[in-house]
Amino acid sequence: MGDQDKKRQSRRGFLAGAAGIVAAGAARADNPQNQPPNVPDWTKTLGEGVGVRAYGLPSKHEQHVIRRTVPWLTATPESSVSFTPLHALDGIITPNGLCFERHHSGIAEIDPADHRLMLHGLVEKPLIFTVGDVMRFPRVNRIYFLECAANGGMEWRGAQLNGCQYTHGMVHCVEYTGVPLKVLLEEAGLKPNAKWILAEGADAAAMTRSIPLAKALDDCLVAYRMNGEMLRPENGYPLRLVVPGWEGNMWVKWLRRLKVGDEPWFTREETSKYTDLLENGKARQFTFVMDAKSVITSPSPQVPVRDKGFMVISGLAWSGRGKIARVDVSLDGGRNWKTARLDGPVLDKSCTRFYLEHHWNGEPLLLQSRAIDATGYVQPTKDALRKIRGVNSIYHNNGIQTWHLKPDGEVENVEVG
Ligand code: MTE
Ligand code: CO
């Protein structure tokens, strides 16, 4: 931006000027009596006292910001998924009550007093931990994204769902408190031939996944807190495995058993499911890492643009291979790219927030974002991904998303050829 432009922008302000501010506010007002120069109703009476809201909830005006489901997607609610309302959030942290949920057999309701974590197999000393035992070990706090491998799975054959909540909402990013898995494994003592870990959940699905020992010793956690409070039941209370950067299915919830072995177990979740069928009939297996991905969360189909003029384009980027190095945004379907501004913490295997400010005159836009991670990996187009993977896959769709912003401000999920 030149000096002249800067001056002009500061003189004009970001909105359409003072008159614009009044108009923008008035357009959304229900009751003009509450507007300046009047004193609003809520200033004329005492408010509710402390203690009534023993566990705080968002304002009643924010009741639309909720996890949502796609009813036709699954046969039963016990084996289903709800989606994070990414379009209505900012920053990088997902509030606990809005983290998408994915259960294969419903939410296990666990009494922590009765819950145990068993550690056995190729160890010197098999151990059984109470939740209290786990909490006595030295602990760490880490912010990580969790993405279901099936995120975007409905979009392989073309644009399908109108909203980033549905196309990208199987991701959340929270701060975990827990014990490094390494610490527990060292407590038990690994036998020399130990190579893999089996993690098992205490839910009716008894979810089991094989995890290479190197990953277990690197950055996996047995977590009991998210965003400071104890895990929510739907996210694995009282214990869950955290497997940073790797597909969500491996983050076993309601963790009850860890077995050390010398080879993978080839469980249902790593043979019949969570493998990627290619065009030639072969399937990729053990595709653990979630590759770099990004999405513009606003504007997007659930948050159309109401006013012309200054506009903040905002989104999230993440990579299972490390930090996000750069995010590019295109307004013309990938022909030209601008470097977005990263704001807030840029952390390893975590969500990163990006922004691009734009002056919108009502021209149609084809909005895209493209993540580049610290390894130099560039998020591919959907067509590039289909060339190497075909369209039989469900999992690991990290192709570039396109939103069509129309002159009336509405936004639609589209693909560009
Ligand atoms: N762990 C158990 N025990 N049972 C499950 O059904 N679902 C897995 C994983 N861990 C699951 C589980 C899948 S597929 C995903 S994507 C994540 O948990 C979802 O975690 P969340 O519900 O906290 O978002
Ligand atoms: Co999943």
Side-chain angles (χ1 to χ4, degrees):
M1 203 187 278
D3 271 1
Q4 268 313 104
D5 291 342
K6 262 187 209 150
K7 257 189 229 138
R8 216 173 298 134
Q9 190 168 48
S10 65
R11 219 182 302 132
R12 268 198 213 142
F14 289 113
L15 304 179
I21 292 172
V22 171
R28 290 182 188 87
D30 285 335
N31 182 0
Q33 296 306 314
N34 285 329
Q35 299 300 300
N38 301 326
V39 174
D41 290 344
W42 41 85
T43 309
K44 296 177 192 159
T45 55
L46 282 175
E48 189 180 87
V50 296
V52 179
R53 303 180 189 208
Y55 198 102
L57 290 172
S59 159
K60 65 181 180 196
H61 302 287
E62 301 298 324
Q63 274 174 3
H64 56 285
V65 182
I66 51 172
R67 300 190 275 227
R68 290 181 192 274
T69 57
V70 176
W72 53 261
L73 202 60
T74 53
T76 67
E78 290 81 15
S79 182
S80 192
V81 58
S82 67
F83 297 86
T84 308
L86 297 177
H87 63 287
L89 302 175
D90 215 321
I92 64 167
I93 298 293
T94 317
N96 285 344
L98 296 177
C99 287
F100 87 92
E101 320 150 80
R102 171 76 176 101
H103 320 307
H104 290 68
S105 295
I107 300 169
E109 265 302 330
I110 294 181
D111 179 345
D114 288 348
H115 188 71
R116 297 290 182 275
L117 171 60
M118 181 161 91
L119 173 47
H120 68 139
L122 297 176
V123 292
E124 303 295 344
K125 186 174 49 157
L127 294 169
I128 293 178
F129 304 101
T130 65
V131 177
D133 291 338
V134 173
M135 293 176 80
R136 283 177 64 201
F137 282 93
R139 55 187 176 270
V140 296
N141 300 300
R142 298 279 185 275
I143 298 174
Y144 292 122
F145 79 83
L146 180 169
E147 184 183 19
C148 181
N151 200 18
M154 292 84 81
E155 305 284 312
W156 273 107
R157 287 160 196 268
Q160 163 110 257
L161 295 167
N162 238 358
C164 68
Q165 178 162 18
Y166 308 110
T167 55
H168 290 75
M170 286 162 88
V171 67
H172 54 61
C173 185
V174 311
E175 184 191 46
Y176 295 96
T177 304
V179 189
L181 181 50
K182 184 175 191 240
V183 172
L184 299 183
L185 293 173
E186 280 171 355
E187 185 75 8
L190 290 168
K191 294 230 165 118
N193 52 338
K195 284 209 175 61
W196 288 80
I197 309 277
L198 181 79
E200 184 185 73
D203 54 335
M207 266 261 330
T208 39
R209 283 296 302 252
S210 308
I211 294 154
L213 182 65
K215 179 67 175 175
L217 294 175
D218 178 17
D219 55 4
C220 290
L221 306 176
V222 174
Y224 41 87
R225 292 183 181 274
M226 56 197 286
N227 292 333
E229 63 180 7
M230 292 301 279
L231 293 172
R232 295 283 174 93
E234 55 269 47
N235 305 106
Y237 180 86
L239 298 174
R240 100 171 291 171
L241 198 62
V242 168
V243 190
W246 288 19
E247 59 185 19
N249 185 258
M250 306 176 80
W251 298 49
V252 172
K253 302 192 275 192
W254 312 294
L255 184 67
R256 69 172 291 269
R257 190 162 72 96
L258 292 165
K259 184 174 185 184
V260 183
D262 57 359
E263 57 183 9
W265 281 261
F266 299 101
T267 70
R268 172 185 180 273
E269 309 297 324
E270 50 208 31
T271 49
S272 137
K273 305 290 172 187
Y274 300 96
T275 50
D276 317 320
L277 183 60
L278 303 174
E279 282 300 287
N280 64 6
K282 293 196 173 177
R284 304 195 310 161
Q285 190 179 27
F286 296 137
T287 43
F288 300 135
V289 179
M290 299 309 293
D291 280 316
K293 188 165 173 178
S294 67
V295 65
I296 291 173
T297 52
S298 170
S300 61
Q302 294 156 290
V303 267
V305 184
R306 293 287 173 227
D307 304 291
K308 285 183 187 153
F310 184 78
M311 171 171 93
V312 176
I313 299 167
S314 172
L316 285 173
W318 59 92
S319 167
R321 297 186 193 276
K323 289 184 182 171
I324 288 295
R326 201 180 87 209
V327 179
D328 297 334
V329 170
S330 175
L331 307 177
D332 57 7
R335 285 200 187 85
N336 297 286
W337 295 92
K338 293 179 181 186
T339 304
R341 180 168 64 84
L342 307 184
D343 191 81
V346 178
L347 302 170
D348 195 35
K349 303 173 187 119
S350 164
C351 281
T352 296
R353 177 59 62 176
F354 68 85
Y355 298 108
L356 183 80
E357 284 80 26
H358 177 66
H359 194 95
W360 186 58
N361 296 316
E363 70 281 9
L365 301 179
L366 289 170
L367 294 167
Q368 295 186 340
S369 65
R370 169 173 85 179
I372 297 135
D373 72 17
T375 69
Y377 174 93
V378 181
Q379 184 184 356
T381 63
K382 289 189 176 176
D383 280 344
L385 207 55
R386 288 184 188 116
K387 275 204 187 98
I388 52 168
R389 297 261 204 78
V391 291
N392 295 326
S393 283
I394 301 168
Y395 309 110
H396 296 280
N397 180 357
N398 68 322
I400 291 172
Q401 174 66 43
T402 311
W403 302 128
H404 178 196
L405 170 58
K406 301 171 189 180
D408 64 0
E410 295 296 317
V411 182
E412 197 186 344
N413 179 7
V414 298
E415 283 204 26
V416 288

